[in-house]
Amino acid sequence: HAAAMDQANGLMYLFGGQAGEQFFNDLWVFDVKSLTWALIHDGSGDAPVPRYGTSMVFTSAGDLIVSHGFRRRKSTTQPLPA
């Protein structure tokens, strides 16, 4: 998974990840003030491909950028486009 923090609003975003051979591309937000999680996007439709080993940043303009990542294909690890 990848995580990025919106310091101004006290929100931490969490994207993707892996559990065994299953890869994820869902997006969650954790509110550090209320200690609650909320699903923002379930990964269907217009979303980055499922992956692990990604990087993510929250920009000063309020955008989340997901970069790089990997997914097991056959017996090798291949980089995926962002």
Side-chain angles (χ1 to χ4, degrees):
H1 69 271
M5 187 72 189
D6 172 359
Q7 296 282 344
N9 295 303
L11 301 172
M12 181 185 70
Y13 294 89
L14 185 71
F15 170 80
Q18 173 189 12
E21 292 296 316
Q22 185 175 4
F23 302 92
F24 302 98
N25 63 339
D26 49 347
L27 179 64
W28 292 81
V29 64
F30 180 72
D31 186 318
V32 298
K33 295 172 189 167
S34 66
L35 302 178
T36 57
W37 285 98
L39 178 64
I40 295 176
H41 197 289
D42 67 3
S44 63
D46 187 24
V49 296
R51 60 183 99 178
Y52 71 96
T54 61
S55 294
M56 185 168 65
V57 65
F58 186 83
T59 70
S60 60
D63 297 316
L64 280 172
I65 299 174
V66 176
S67 178
H68 299 86
F70 302 92
R71 180 176 185 163
R72 183 175 293 273
R73 293 187 183 194
K74 297 186 182 176
S75 62
T76 62
T77 301
Q78 299 293 326
L80 295 174

